[in-house]
Amino acid sequence: MPATRDASAYRIYIEARKIWRSKLEWELTLEETTRILTDVRTAASLGDWGARALLAHFYLEGLGPLKSNKVLEPDPYKAVEIVRIAATAMQPWALYDLGVAYEHGYGGANYDPDLAWAYYLKAAQLGSPEAQMALAQAYSAIRRLGEEQIMQQCAYQQGHGGAALELAMTARINNRFEDAITIYQQGVKFGNSDCAAALWFLFEAGHWSNDTEEEIRSLKSLGIFLDHERSKRYKAISERLKINPDLKLSRLDQVLPLPPAKLPQWSGVEDAFTPESNDPPTY
């Protein structure tokens, strides 16, 4: 993203985004979807690239899944038009999105897998964690597991929740349970609902459902036992993150530390969230 940002346009975008992330999309009212679209368009017209990225997303997916709150039908051509302008400016999110368009062939981007992967590679080099994860999947498919993990680590170091989930699952498969639990915890901090769910299920029974007796003993040696309170807290966080994955849980270790630390009191999931997070993901 550009180094400088117009404060007024950014604020319009952020306030609209907060409304969009306040509920599941089908729960939004017509008044809310109308305001979201109007304000995102306004911020985009004022030059905010976060707003332009979100507007491109709305053009691709539509806004308002019900007749009662629909304000925008999908228009992939308009989505790709916005993405192309940002890609010309070498913004990593747009290079990645343009790669997706060429991989699937929509919005005037004719199906061209080679061009798609060229865009993914450039986006990954410029720091797009989504592109890095796309490359990781490609390396996995041809069993180049070292390169797969390098790409996952690149995305993980940027706070990508999906990368945390993949790395934690790999650690679990390889019986590196302490690493897996630590990485899941980081994934929760990044706003990943599935990482929170993995810890919810872990503490619900004191082990994961498919663990062997030997694996259960290994978990116990790390201080992992059935813990209803921890399970309840991770469940509440997972459900909240399903609605708003923008949330960053910088205080998670203070209100929900991993064993053997004791649980402090908390008044609800808000205790774990950063009151004002930094810039949210592109869309």
Side-chain angles (χ1 to χ4, degrees):
M1 303 295 276
T4 58
R5 207 164 191 174
D6 180 86
S8 59
Y10 175 69
R11 181 48 50 193
I12 294 169
Y13 157 60
I14 286 297
E15 290 304 318
R17 189 183 181 96
K18 285 180 179 177
I19 298 171
W20 177 53
R21 289 300 204 190
S22 65
K23 306 173 184 176
L24 296 172
E25 195 164 324
W26 62 268
E27 295 176 321
L28 294 169
T29 66
L30 179 61
E31 180 182 2
E32 288 170 328
T33 53
T34 300
R35 179 181 170 185
I36 291 164
L37 182 59
T38 299
D39 287 354
V40 170
R41 278 176 167 161
T42 297
S45 69
L46 293 171
D48 188 272
W49 275 110
R52 291 180 181 180
L54 185 55
L55 185 59
H57 174 72
F58 288 156
Y59 276 128
L60 186 61
E61 302 291 340
L63 179 59
L66 305 177
K67 287 183 178 180
S68 60
N69 69 358
K70 184 178 290 295
V71 291
L72 187 68
E73 294 285 351
D75 188 338
Y77 285 90
K78 287 187 177 180
V80 173
E81 180 182 337
I82 294 170
V83 167
R84 285 189 186 281
I85 296 170
T88 301
M90 299 303 286
Q91 293 182 6
W93 70 270
L95 294 166
Y96 168 73
D97 278 12
L98 197 51
V100 175
Y102 278 109
E103 184 178 7
H104 297 282
Y106 61 75
N110 296 326
Y111 174 72
D112 188 334
D114 291 337
L115 188 55
W117 285 104
Y119 276 115
Y120 287 154
L121 178 59
K122 188 62 179 179
Q125 289 170 338
L126 292 176
S128 165
E130 291 79 15
Q132 290 161 356
M133 292 301 291
L135 290 177
Q137 289 180 341
Y139 284 130
S140 176
I142 58 175
R143 307 302 296 168
R144 288 172 60 177
L145 303 185
E147 287 94 335
E148 176 193 11
Q149 287 211 350
I150 288 171
M151 288 294 98
Q152 289 172 341
Q153 284 287 351
C154 287
Y156 175 73
Q157 293 298 329
Q158 295 188 78
H160 191 273
L165 181 67
E166 293 294 329
L167 288 168
M169 291 173 64
T170 299
R172 272 179 63 184
I173 290 169
N174 292 318
N175 294 329
R176 294 187 289 108
F177 296 115
E178 186 172 10
D179 288 344
I181 293 167
T182 300
I183 296 169
Y184 277 133
Q185 181 84 341
Q186 285 298 117
V188 179
K189 294 178 191 176
F190 299 159
N192 187 273
S193 174
D194 290 333
C195 285
L199 294 175
W200 157 20
F201 298 139
L202 173 64
F203 289 107
E204 189 172 55
H207 58 84
W208 287 294
S209 60
N210 57 346
D211 285 343
T212 65
E213 288 298 322
E214 182 179 353
E215 290 166 344
I216 292 171
R217 285 194 295 272
S218 296
L219 288 167
K220 286 182 178 178
S221 72
L222 297 173
I224 304 299
F225 298 92
L226 182 152
D227 188 326
H228 289 304
E229 183 59 28
R230 275 191 168 88
S231 176
K232 182 179 74 173
R233 294 187 188 188
Y234 281 114
K235 179 181 179 181
I237 289 171
S238 176
E239 291 176 345
R240 182 70 174 273
L241 289 174
K242 284 181 181 178
I243 298 172
N244 187 359
D246 286 352
L247 295 169
K248 303 302 178 189
L249 286 80
S250 65
R251 300 188 65 254
L252 183 66
D253 289 336
Q254 289 142 277
V255 299
L256 190 44
L258 293 172
K262 293 183 178 180
L263 284 180
Q265 295 293 320
W266 80 335
S267 57
V269 293
E270 286 76 11
D271 290 353
F273 300 141
T274 309
E276 284 294 332
S277 64
N278 296 325
D279 291 355
T282 305
Y283 58 77

